[in-house]
Amino acid sequence: DIQMTQSPASLSASLEEIVTITCQASQDIGNWLAWYQQKPGKSPQLLIYDATSLADGVPSRFSGSRSGTQYSLKISRLQVEDIGSYYCQQAHSNPNTFGAGTKLELK
Amino acid sequence: EVQLVESGGGLVQPGRSMKLSCAASGFTFNNYDMAWVCQAPKKGLEWVATISYDGSSTYYRDSVKGRFTISRDNAKSTLYLQMDSLRSEDTATYYCAKQLYWYFDFWGPGTMVTVSS
């Protein structure tokens, strides 16, 4: 199985701050990478797919990038509604696998 | 508006069976692959199974192969997950999800399954 190593596990940031979360794939997955946001008590929401494509309705302050087998999610100006957990997912091969998650809190 | 609503969860004893349902609306159900994804309490997300748009192909994670069966009724726009020989480690919230390629672009609110004696 492809392992997705996500970091950091938790993150505390201030409003308007730039936030970056990363995922390292254990092997080449091309651009087959998605990011999800999960607010407390809610189901996940797709933010980014194909490593860099913004899902419908997602604010433009969210962006995705790739460098080799390392993938990053950037929130350009943190808002209060961005608080929650974030997960990466590789969709290159089955079983498709998720990172362990990053819990984002307000400082 | 896409809506997915799961039902059928609850408390079940180890070794017993349970069947989950997911009612879909707001999109052409028979055009899309569908999946079940689970999340154990306070844990991360784990893909469980996928079924192709026409039901001809199914895919499972190793830990549920031979115990879980994913199926669909396109006439009723409903997805199912038959779970047999349940184990304590199957305890989780189970989400129904619409697939976009092998991504999950819409999720239901989830239904909790607790396997305990």
Side-chain angles (χ1 to χ4, degrees):
Chain A
D1 298 0
I2 297 175
Q3 307 302 316
M4 302 301 296
T5 303
Q6 188 172 340
S7 61
S10 63
L11 176 58
S12 182
S14 303
L15 290 176
E16 304 291 323
E17 189 174 332
I18 297 173
V19 170
T20 301
I21 298 168
T22 63
C23 262
Q24 178 72 48
S26 61
Q27 63 189 71
D28 180 26
I29 59 169
N31 286 327
W32 292 99
L33 189 284
W35 290 97
Y36 300 86
Q37 175 194 64
Q38 187 176 30
K39 296 182 181 180
K42 300 294 185 181
S43 52
Q45 175 191 356
L46 178 66
L47 297 175
I48 302 283
Y49 64 97
D50 289 349
T52 60
S53 296
L54 203 63
D56 289 346
V58 176
S60 58
R61 64 179 179 275
F62 291 92
S63 63
S65 63
R66 171 194 173 190
S67 176
T69 56
Q70 181 164 293
Y71 301 82
S72 297
L73 172 71
K74 184 172 101 170
I75 308 174
S76 60
R77 295 172 60 183
L78 185 67
Q79 304 296 303
V80 66
E81 60 265 31
D82 300 335
I83 297 313
S85 294
Y86 291 81
Y87 296 90
C88 62
Q89 176 228 346
Q90 67 81 15
H92 178 270
S93 55
N94 274 338
N96 62 82
T97 45
F98 291 85
T102 295
K103 188 172 183 180
L104 176 59
E105 299 174 325
L106 266 182
K107 189 181 290 182
Chain B
E1 179 194 2
V2 173
Q3 286 202 329
L4 299 168
V5 181
E6 304 91 342
S7 60
L11 176 64
V12 61
Q13 292 179 329
R16 303 298 290 265
S17 298
M18 178 172 277
K19 186 171 186 176
L20 306 182
S21 300
C22 171
S25 61
F27 65 104
T28 305
F29 183 72
N30 59 13
N31 281 357
Y32 293 92
D33 297 353
M34 296 291 295
W36 290 96
V37 180
C38 72
Q39 185 171 35
K42 305 293 186 184
K43 300 292 185 182
L45 300 165
E46 193 170 76
W47 168 77
V48 176
T50 287
I51 186 167
S52 62
Y53 67 99
D54 61 355
S56 62
S57 298
T58 57
Y59 310 86
Y60 300 92
R61 65 178 303 107
D62 283 350
S63 62
V64 307
K65 275 181 190 173
R67 299 190 300 123
F68 289 12
T69 303
I70 188 171
S71 62
R72 64 192 297 159
D73 184 335
N74 284 345
K76 295 182 178 179
S77 296
T78 302
L79 177 71
Y80 303 100
L81 185 67
Q82 175 68 43
M83 303 185 294
D84 299 324
S85 303
L86 280 161
R87 307 167 180 168
S88 58
E89 55 263 36
D90 297 321
T91 294
T93 295
Y94 285 76
Y95 297 102
C96 163
K98 173 179 169 288
Q99 287 196 204
L100 170 68
Y101 307 112
W102 279 93
Y103 305 117
F104 309 110
D105 61 345
F106 288 96
W107 301 60
T111 187
M112 181 70 197
V113 173
T114 302
V115 184
S116 174
S117 54

